[in-house]
Amino acid sequence: MRTYQNLFAIGENEGKRQKFVFDVIEDHKASAAYKTASIAEKYYARKNVTIMAFQKMLYNMHGQQVPDMWSANYKLRTHFFRRFITQQVQYVLSNGVTFQNKETKGKLGKKFDTQIQRAAKKAMVDHVSFLFWNLDHVEVFSFADTPTDPGFVPLYDADTGALRAGVRYWHPADKVTRATLYEEDGYTEYILEDKKISVVAEKRSYKKTVISTKADGVSGERNENYSAFPIVPLYANDLHESELEGYRESIDCYDYIKSGMANDIDDTSGFYWVLKNSGGMDDVDLAKFRERMHTVKVATMEDDNASAEAHTLDVPTEAREKMLALLKTDLYSDFQIVNVEALSATAKTATEIRAAYQPMDDKCGDFEYFLIDAIQNVLALAGIDDEPSFKWNRIANQTEETNMVMTASPVLGDELTLKKLPFLTPEEVEDRLRDMGNQTMNRFTEPQEPPQGANGEGDE
């Protein structure tokens, strides 16, 4: 794995820098982290690679292994991984990021919440994603390239572990690779086409200010960079691993059992065959016979003594169903995600719901620290002093929780009471507080009529 020190040692030798950029891309794609991230991207895209590559095999009388082209080969794919990632991200970020200063969100760009959601999903799938502060908005870089996203190769400092540089790459056409080298003092664009490397754009600063006046027009420009490297890593966990690690095997097992049960039902169609005086048939011949009976429903027996008898069959499902249920329970439990089917079975009290959500709260609370750290680094690049917070999207017994909050409202006060109500979003809380403030001010600014006496006239 190459580091920032390898780039620094090259200096300004442009020929070596060009070669380094594309060599580091090849090293990146050969790394174990990239291979895991690429597989995880496929699982997130509902392309479970293990079951999709599965092929049933047969052995003929010579012991040769041949593909089974005659029996059913269903490849049922479950979407556990995508569901878990989506559920965890939406639990923390469905209400967006909240800041203490109302003006902060506007300074970070209109799509800031959308980009943070995308970065969180990419981090959980790939193990890390990258937030690029591009003057007045955030862009998301993906660790592993996909058909829709370029990839990003991080170059960490070997001494401090800090991200000091990186290469973003994509393939716009066959045998063509575009790359951008991001450094602390600017970025350079390259292209590799037909094994020839060339510079598309020389190194440029991250911030360019055009100086102009009404009288003279454009008089010059000022180029500046940030106080730190403008690309910030967002990790999924403290292990710096994809969330697929440790769960892929269980997902593959679930797909295999489910597909196998579908294959057995399709192949047997409720019966099986016993062939007499047919000892010369190998496994391939038997498979062909079964396929013929399955499609044509008629078969001929060349030997006068040969015969075929059909027997009804009940496909065993009980053991498989129990195993599928066990795998599903284990997946939810190990991933620390709430199975809403269990919560919706019967009416639950607020205490029961909180207890069911505790493992998910623990995991999402751990991930929240990584979000806070990454967002604070972006705020520092943008020159903003603020603190991010999040309102989690939890299923709740709203009636019970609302009654509990309203009972404590005399102690909590108006603002904290509104923030604790489970059905209000942060934006609705702010609007209500603003309305309450306006109503209070109106009581002091609007003229008050004098109290009326019994005869309708003001008392002296």
Side-chain angles (χ1 to χ4, degrees):
M1 179 179 178
R2 308 197 188 201
T3 64
Y4 171 75
Q5 277 74 9
N6 298 123
L7 174 63
F8 183 79
I10 293 174
E12 297 301 320
N13 187 316
E14 187 56 43
K16 291 184 178 180
R17 289 170 69 86
Q18 292 178 14
K19 185 176 185 303
F20 175 85
V21 166
F22 291 95
D23 284 347
V24 84
I25 294 174
E26 294 301 317
D27 290 348
H28 174 70
K29 289 190 170 184
S31 67
Y34 173 85
K35 293 176 181 177
T36 300
S38 296
I39 292 173
E41 288 282 359
K42 290 181 173 63
Y43 275 79
Y44 183 74
R46 302 185 295 268
K47 297 179 177 65
N48 301 8
V49 295
T50 303
I51 193 65
M52 290 182 68
F54 179 73
Q55 173 62 57
K56 296 172 70 175
M57 305 298 291
L58 290 174
Y59 291 89
N60 60 24
M61 59 176 32
H62 302 292
Q64 297 173 329
Q65 190 181 59
V66 295
D68 184 357
M69 307 301 296
W70 299 277
S71 60
N73 190 20
Y74 288 102
K75 300 179 180 182
L76 306 181
R77 290 167 279 170
T78 51
H79 306 159
F80 282 116
F81 187 58
R82 183 180 180 89
R83 184 188 312 161
F84 291 161
I85 296 299
T86 303
Q87 188 172 343
Q88 182 171 333
V89 170
Q90 293 305 318
Y91 186 67
V92 179
L93 292 171
S94 63
N95 292 310
V97 185
T98 303
F99 294 97
Q100 296 177 355
N101 189 340
K102 300 176 184 178
E103 298 177 355
T104 298
K105 188 70 72 72
K107 296 178 182 179
L108 296 173
K110 294 182 179 180
K111 296 183 178 180
F112 178 75
D113 284 332
T114 303
Q115 294 292 72
I116 292 298
Q117 275 210 17
R118 183 167 177 268
K121 292 177 181 177
K122 283 290 183 181
M124 291 185 182
V125 174
D126 292 359
H127 90 273
V128 65
S129 63
F130 302 90
L131 300 173
F132 172 42
W133 176 245
N134 191 1
L135 188 61
D136 59 356
H137 66 283
V138 169
E139 297 179 15
V140 178
F141 292 172
S142 174
F143 178 77
D145 58 295
T146 68
T148 57
D149 285 315
F152 182 78
V153 187
L155 294 173
Y156 297 103
D157 191 305
D159 299 324
T160 65
L163 182 63
R164 300 285 301 276
V167 178
R168 195 181 191 210
Y169 65 94
W170 63 101
H171 307 286
D174 187 31
K175 297 182 180 180
V176 177
T177 302
R178 290 286 300 270
T180 303
L181 173 62
Y182 292 90
E183 302 174 86
E184 293 173 340
D185 60 344
Y187 61 99
T188 313
E189 298 181 32
Y190 302 93
I191 187 171
L192 171 63
E193 188 172 10
D194 294 330
K195 299 182 180 181
K196 181 180 179 181
I197 303 174
S198 57
V199 179
V200 176
E202 299 288 345
K203 183 182 287 187
R204 291 174 287 178
S205 300
Y206 291 103
K207 295 188 288 185
K208 182 175 74 172
T209 304
V210 177
I211 304 172
S212 64
T213 62
K214 292 184 178 179
D216 301 329
V218 177
S219 58
E221 64 180 36
R222 182 172 65 250
N223 294 299
E224 298 177 279
N225 289 306
Y226 298 100
S227 58
F229 187 55
I231 300 177
V232 176
L234 169 61
Y235 292 102
N237 50 61
D238 57 348
L239 297 175
H240 294 186
E241 291 182 344
S242 168
E243 288 292 310
L244 185 63
E245 289 283 359
Y247 307 106
R248 178 184 174 184
E249 293 79 6
S250 295
I251 294 173
D252 291 343
C253 185
Y254 192 100
D255 290 346
Y256 178 77
I257 293 174
K258 191 174 181 179
S259 299
M261 189 158 54
N263 291 334
D264 288 347
I265 293 173
D266 192 316
D267 287 338
T268 61
S269 298
F271 62 91
Y272 66 95
W273 293 91
V274 174
L275 304 182
K276 296 181 179 181
N277 297 322
S278 56
M281 298 175 67
D282 60 14
D283 287 348
V284 175
D285 295 328
L286 293 173
K288 290 180 179 180
F289 173 83
R290 182 182 59 185
E291 175 65 13
R292 184 172 183 83
M293 297 303 299
H294 185 68
T295 55
V296 184
K297 310 296 183 183
V298 176
T300 59
M301 308 299 291
E302 296 181 0
D303 192 328
D304 293 338
N305 296 322
S307 63
E309 296 179 357
H311 297 264
T312 58
L313 174 69
D314 293 329
V315 179
T317 60
E318 184 178 355
R320 301 185 194 187
E321 289 174 350
K322 287 182 178 180
M323 188 60 188
L324 290 176
L326 179 61
L327 285 169
K328 184 175 182 180
T329 300
D330 287 348
L331 279 166
Y332 273 98
S333 177
D334 293 341
F335 209 91
Q336 296 178 251
I337 293 294
V338 173
N339 187 353
V340 294
E341 295 177 4
L343 286 180
S344 60
T346 58
K348 301 292 183 181
T349 65
T351 302
E352 290 175 317
I353 293 175
R354 287 183 180 275
Y357 269 92
Q358 189 58 51
M360 189 169 177
D361 287 347
D362 293 338
K363 185 176 185 182
C364 291
D366 184 61
F367 178 60
E368 189 178 274
Y369 281 105
F370 292 100
L371 281 171
I372 291 172
D373 184 58
I375 293 173
Q376 284 179 333
N377 287 331
V378 171
L379 292 176
L381 289 167
I384 300 173
D385 184 16
D386 209 329
E387 293 288 336
S389 60
F390 309 89
K391 181 179 175 61
W392 293 357
N393 187 30
R394 175 191 289 157
I395 296 174
N397 187 326
Q398 292 190 350
T399 301
E400 187 173 343
E401 290 202 2
T402 300
N403 291 338
M404 180 175 62
V405 172
M406 297 308 296
T407 301
S409 61
V411 179
L412 298 175
D414 292 341
E415 182 174 353
L416 191 54
T417 297
L418 289 173
K419 290 181 177 180
K420 290 291 184 180
L421 290 175
F423 52 84
L424 291 180
T425 65
E427 291 77 13
E428 291 172 337
V429 170
E430 293 296 330
D431 292 341
R432 183 56 190 152
L433 288 172
R434 191 183 307 110
D435 293 341
M436 292 171 65
N438 293 336
Q439 292 171 7
T440 301
M441 291 300 297
N442 290 338
R443 287 202 297 269
F444 290 99
T445 57
E446 293 180 356
Q448 303 293 320
E449 297 182 1
Q452 299 295 319
N455 58 359
E457 298 178 358
D459 294 334
E460 293 184 1

